Amino acid sequence: MLDIGGIGRTTLATAFLAMSFILAPLAKAQEQPVWHHGLSLIGELKYPPGFKHFDYVNPVAPKGGDINLSQTGTFDTFNPLLALKGEPAVGLTLVFETLMKSADDEISTAYGLLAESVSFPDDISSATFRLRSEAKWADGKPVTPEDVIFSFEKGKELNPLNQSYYGHVVKAEKTGDESVTFRFDEKNNRELPHILGQLLIVPKHWWEGTGPDGKPRDIARTTLEPVMGSGPYRIASFSPGGTIRYERREDYWGASLNVNVGQNNFNSITYTFFGDRDVEFESFRAGDIDFWRENQARRWATGYDFPAAKGGRVKREEVPLRATGVMQALVPNMRRKPFDDERVREALNYALDFEELNRTVFFSQYTRVNSYFFLTELASSGLPEGKELEILNEVRDLVPPEVFTTPYTNPVGGTPEKARDNLRKAVALLKEAGFELKGNRMVNAATGRPLAFEILLSSPTLERVALPYAQNLKRIGIEARVRTVDPSQYTNRERAFDYDMTWEVWGQTLSPGNEQADFWGSKAATREGSRNYAGIADPGVDALIERVIFAKDRDTLVAATKALDRVLLAHHYVVPLYYPRTTNIAYWDTLSRPAELPKYGLGFPDIWWSTSAASQ
């Protein structure tokens, strides 16, 4: 702020005149915004304005044929905005669209879909999206700014994740016949325009209308009325909780759009739901399901000896993971004692013998996860140095001192001697935390209460890890009860943080940002429906999340993310599990795809097509 107390009138007038010359070009710049056909969080966009199609598609891919897919679990709603009610159906992104669409051969980029372009000021205090005039709903009505505003407001109201994700987006307003401007309560958050491009848009007029029963629709409730969208498919038929059939729309407004060329090739996409993963695989073996993503090492090693696989009618591929970091872990709930004690959590990690599991259960196909950004350049290693060390020094008083002196490592087992040594270390840590062995039971030394808890699982397939882990815990007097519940019950308990320990997977992009506050931030720890499953509420973690979100360049983002990773690991919030280095897929020869898959994804089913359509 200017101090004008001692400035003369002439000097003051000169100052204001000079300021007017500065403000004039700024005002002119605001009147003539720069419109971008795409957004990138890393470097320059690959595709220029007016590009024909993405490089990884077959632009003349044949249209036609049908594909049958499977899904574990169930569904009871077609409402895409609810998060705390019901089980949304898989495939709704075939019906609804976003403002922008990601490219699978670039990191964190997106190009115009419903919106043809986006603009924002230098300080990124707002973002304006200009809608395509040709964008239409399935009933032929145009997609309007009112639809975007409605989707944003209802999305934040009904979805706790959106409340966090778009927490700094305070207002959406119509600023033209085909433009919407989002206002931010902070500046220089480079990710905000990008994540707004991911906003799923629903038709306001449809949701505020009446259904076939003559009653007003309510977007705050679950519904099994086939919803209407702007996307390339519509819901053609369904059996509640059992199947959904999506049918390609011949009148889809965006069929020839550059971001859609060579995509949406199947006439229909049908999902069948299963309660048992083994039964689901048998359906694939029988040819009733066309595509399978394998998540069991034993089955990948031994389960493809059926004639169709031996004869080449079922193809198998191992696709390297390039675009996703991951933390898969058993997660103690720190909202409950004694998991709020770091020593207890660390002791629980010593009881997991990954090397033995990998040898006996997983055919040595997996790698132990040692980072919250596993398999990416964002993963911390060794001791901090350079820019990462500078960032950690800024929050030195808020983070564990060992992040500066001791690299994180998981306990290593695999032999009886190593397993016994790890369990002795676990017992020592528990003793420091106030527990002791009495007979064959680990009890609280002060109260005599046994250390016992429940491990909540969503699938029986996870028991092959949880049960041996529980046996190891029993060896040091801890009773761990393994309980598997149906998908609906699991989802409800997960949303309410109603568990002692559970099994979770956090997927990470190569450009982490605002979602980190929902994963590990203090505010998310008490907000039901967030993904802060561990209950992390730590000022050091919060400070580093801020540095990730406001990183001004790629080098700073990488350094800040490594610092965050290092601090999360040092607090022993989870018991890290394992993950493959490839995505293992199998599919029948009824499916075809481009010779080269996109670098950062499978492109499935978007860019694949039916061989029956190709032969016509």
Side-chain angles (χ1 to χ4, degrees):
M1 185 172 65
L2 289 174
D3 179 2
I4 61 173
I7 299 179
R9 185 172 298 170
T10 302
T11 304
L12 186 61
T14 303
F16 277 115
L17 181 61
M19 187 175 293
S20 69
F21 284 108
I22 296 173
L23 291 176
L26 288 177
K28 185 176 181 180
Q30 291 174 350
E31 292 171 4
Q32 298 178 348
V34 177
W35 293 98
H36 308 274
H37 73 290
L39 292 170
S40 175
L41 291 177
I42 303 175
E44 299 296 322
L45 290 167
K46 174 181 178 179
Y47 296 98
F51 69 95
K52 300 297 184 183
H53 55 76
F54 292 134
D55 289 345
Y56 51 83
V57 306
N58 174 6
V60 293
K63 306 288 186 183
D66 307 303
I67 183 171
N68 295 303
L69 303 177
S70 62
Q71 180 73 14
T72 306
T74 186
F75 71 94
D76 59 14
T77 182
F78 294 135
N79 186 336
L81 296 189
L82 289 182
L84 293 182
K85 296 179 182 178
E87 290 283 344
V90 66
L92 290 176
T93 52
L94 299 168
V95 176
F96 298 101
E97 297 179 298
T98 52
L99 294 171
M100 307 194 81
K101 185 172 182 174
S102 298
D104 287 346
D105 57 349
E106 297 178 89
I107 301 174
S108 298
T109 64
Y111 297 86
L113 182 54
L114 286 174
E116 65 179 12
S117 56
V118 57
S119 69
F120 44 85
D122 291 342
D123 63 1
I124 319 179
S125 56
S126 66
T128 300
F129 291 84
R130 187 164 59 191
L131 299 176
R132 295 185 187 274
S133 58
E134 66 269 31
K136 299 288 191 298
W137 299 108
D139 62 3
K141 294 184 178 180
V143 178
T144 65
E146 287 80 5
D147 294 319
V148 177
I149 295 168
F150 177 80
S151 302
F152 170 74
E153 292 177 348
K154 291 300 180 182
K156 284 190 69 173
E157 175 187 333
L158 301 173
N159 189 332
L161 171 59
N162 284 350
Q163 292 170 14
S164 171
Y165 205 45
Y166 300 118
H168 292 291
V169 186
V170 294
K171 187 178 182 181
E173 58 184 340
K174 181 177 180 178
T175 49
D177 291 341
E178 295 173 347
S179 62
V180 180
T181 298
F182 296 91
R183 307 291 181 186
F184 311 149
D185 67 357
E186 63 180 11
K187 298 178 180 180
N188 300 310
N189 186 332
R190 298 170 55 249
E191 195 183 37
L192 286 180
H194 191 87
I195 64 175
L196 282 166
Q198 302 167 356
L199 187 67
L200 199 70
I201 308 303
V202 300
K204 179 182 180 182
H205 70 279
W206 190 90
W207 284 100
E208 291 185 342
T210 56
D213 58 2
K215 296 179 181 179
R217 298 185 179 101
D218 185 354
I219 200 167
R221 299 170 63 94
T222 61
T223 182
L224 283 176
E225 179 187 354
V227 288
M228 185 189 73
S230 63
Y233 287 83
R234 66 180 183 88
I235 299 173
S237 61
F238 69 96
S239 172
T243 61
I244 310 171
R245 181 174 180 271
Y246 295 94
E247 187 176 84
R248 186 161 54 88
R249 292 174 46 210
E250 295 294 341
D251 60 348
Y252 170 49
W253 72 272
S256 59
L257 206 62
N258 54 4
V259 294
N260 289 329
V261 170
Q263 305 183 50
N264 306 314
N265 300 315
F266 297 99
N267 276 347
S268 71
I269 301 175
T270 300
Y271 287 92
T272 300
F273 291 76
F274 293 84
D276 184 282
R277 183 76 172 165
D278 292 331
V279 175
E280 190 176 344
F281 180 69
E282 288 305 313
S283 185
F284 170 74
R285 278 177 41 127
D288 297 327
I289 302 299
D290 297 317
F291 182 92
W292 181 258
R293 192 182 301 235
E294 187 56 78
N295 66 351
Q296 287 188 22
R298 179 182 296 274
R299 186 160 51 217
W300 190 248
T302 66
Y304 291 81
D305 56 354
F306 52 97
K310 289 182 176 180
R313 291 196 305 154
V314 168
K315 303 177 182 180
R316 294 204 294 162
E317 296 184 42
E318 297 181 359
V319 183
L321 290 171
R322 297 190 183 100
T324 304
V326 68
M327 168 57 80
Q328 179 166 236
L330 289 166
V331 185
N333 187 353
M334 292 193 296
R335 303 168 185 86
R336 299 180 177 182
K337 291 184 178 297
F339 303 126
D340 56 340
D341 191 309
E342 190 170 297
R343 295 164 296 186
V344 172
R345 302 194 302 271
E346 185 177 4
L348 294 175
N349 195 17
Y350 275 101
L352 180 75
D353 191 341
F354 162 74
E355 287 72 22
E356 181 70 7
L357 287 169
N358 200 31
R359 181 180 66 83
T360 60
V361 178
F362 302 137
F363 293 79
S364 300
Q365 292 184 31
Y366 292 150
T367 304
R368 184 82 190 269
V369 172
N370 60 1
S371 166
Y372 284 77
F373 302 86
F374 185 59
L375 297 179
T376 74
E377 65 169 333
L378 305 168
S380 60
S381 63
L383 291 175
E385 57 185 21
K387 190 168 290 188
E388 181 192 354
L389 181 58
E390 292 176 15
I391 291 171
L392 285 168
N393 276 325
E394 294 172 359
V395 295
R396 180 178 283 270
D397 294 341
L398 300 176
V399 302
E402 56 264 33
V403 303
F404 297 96
T405 61
T406 309
Y408 177 85
T409 56
N410 283 309
V412 177
T415 67
E417 295 77 17
K418 290 178 179 178
R420 285 193 296 268
D421 187 47
N422 285 338
L423 290 177
R424 280 194 291 268
K425 291 177 181 177
V427 170
L429 284 164
L430 290 167
K431 185 176 181 180
E432 290 179 21
F435 291 87
E436 62 182 3
L437 271 171
K438 281 193 174 182
N440 294 322
R441 305 184 78 182
M442 184 69 67
V443 300
N444 187 302
T447 66
R449 183 177 180 179
L451 177 51
F453 59 89
E454 178 183 88
I455 303 175
L456 181 69
L457 302 178
S458 62
S459 170
T461 61
L462 305 180
E463 293 176 4
R464 68 189 64 200
V465 172
L467 289 173
Y469 179 56
Q471 286 297 317
N472 276 359
L473 290 169
K474 188 175 182 180
R475 292 173 62 187
I476 56 175
I478 298 175
E479 180 188 355
R481 304 175 302 277
V482 176
R483 184 181 182 192
T484 302
V485 298
D486 64 75
S488 294
Q489 185 179 353
Y490 182 82
T491 298
N492 289 332
R493 289 187 61 177
E494 179 188 61
R495 288 168 176 166
F497 309 126
D498 181 16
Y499 47 80
D500 298 327
M501 174 183 279
T502 189
W503 184 307
E504 296 292 349
V505 181
W506 289 273
Q508 298 278 8
T509 72
L510 295 180
S511 292
N514 291 269
E515 77 286 344
Q516 302 302 306
D518 191 65
F519 292 171
W520 336 112
S522 295
K523 292 181 180 178
T526 56
R527 189 181 67 249
E528 286 195 10
S530 82
R531 289 175 288 180
N532 188 342
Y533 304 116
I536 300 169
D538 182 83
V541 171
D542 290 339
L544 289 170
I545 290 172
E546 286 291 298
R547 282 160 174 78
V548 169
I549 291 174
F550 289 100
K552 295 185 180 299
D553 52 55
R554 181 66 183 174
D555 288 345
T556 304
L557 175 65
V558 171
T561 305
K562 286 183 175 181
L564 173 62
D565 182 41
R566 194 180 298 276
V567 171
L568 290 171
L569 291 168
H571 280 297
H572 302 285
Y573 290 128
V574 301
V575 178
L577 290 172
Y578 53 86
Y579 215 72
R581 292 182 175 272
T582 60
T583 297
N584 298 337
I585 60 173
Y587 55 94
W588 284 81
D589 58 6
T590 54
L591 303 181
S592 295
R593 64 166 179 82
E596 295 292 331
L597 290 174
K599 184 174 183 179
Y600 298 112
L602 296 176
F604 183 83
D606 300 13
I607 68 173
W608 294 51
W609 62 88
S610 169
T611 52
S612 64
S615 63
Q616 294 175 1

